[in-house]
Amino acid sequence: MGERHPRLRLDDNFASPIRFSLMAALLDGNELDFATLAEILQVGDSALSKSISHLHVTGYVSTRRGDVGSRPRTWVRSTAKGERAFTAHLRALQEIVEFGGQPHHS
């Protein structure tokens, strides 16, 4: 049997469009606050909070809490583990496109 199909290397943690988009927004070491992420991703607070929590449990993002003036804020950034996982996921997606319906042999 030839090489495994690249879809088998997809990371289910990025199956949610919100989590996928969240990781894309955090590429290149971006650290963004919760409100900015909600605006960029055009998603409600509850859905964003659940996505951040999921990725935090996996070790793919870290959060930092602080205050801006008298208002509490939460900032989110991807971890090195999260960057590696997301990059591998993107590579697998690209290989799926390249793989197409063609037989693939090593």
Side-chain angles (χ1 to χ4, degrees), residues 21-97:
S21 300
L22 174 61
M23 288 302 292
L26 298 176
L27 280 177
D28 301 323
N30 285 338
E31 181 180 57
L32 297 170
D33 69 271
F34 189 92
T36 301
L37 280 168
E39 184 179 329
I40 290 169
L41 302 179
Q42 300 175 4
V43 65
D45 290 356
S46 176
L48 180 56
S49 182
K50 288 176 187 174
S51 293
I52 291 169
S53 293
H54 180 97
L55 293 171
H56 184 73
V57 168
T58 64
Y60 287 178
V61 301
S62 62
T63 59
R64 177 174 64 86
R65 298 187 192 286
D67 294 314
V68 175
S70 61
R71 299 185 56 131
R73 290 276 169 92
T74 300
W75 289 270
V76 184
R77 83 168 38 238
S78 64
T79 62
K81 177 183 177 182
E83 290 269 345
R84 285 191 304 272
F86 192 65
T87 299
H89 184 79
L90 293 176
R91 193 175 313 117
L93 287 171
Q94 184 59 45
E95 289 175 24
I96 290 168
V97 172

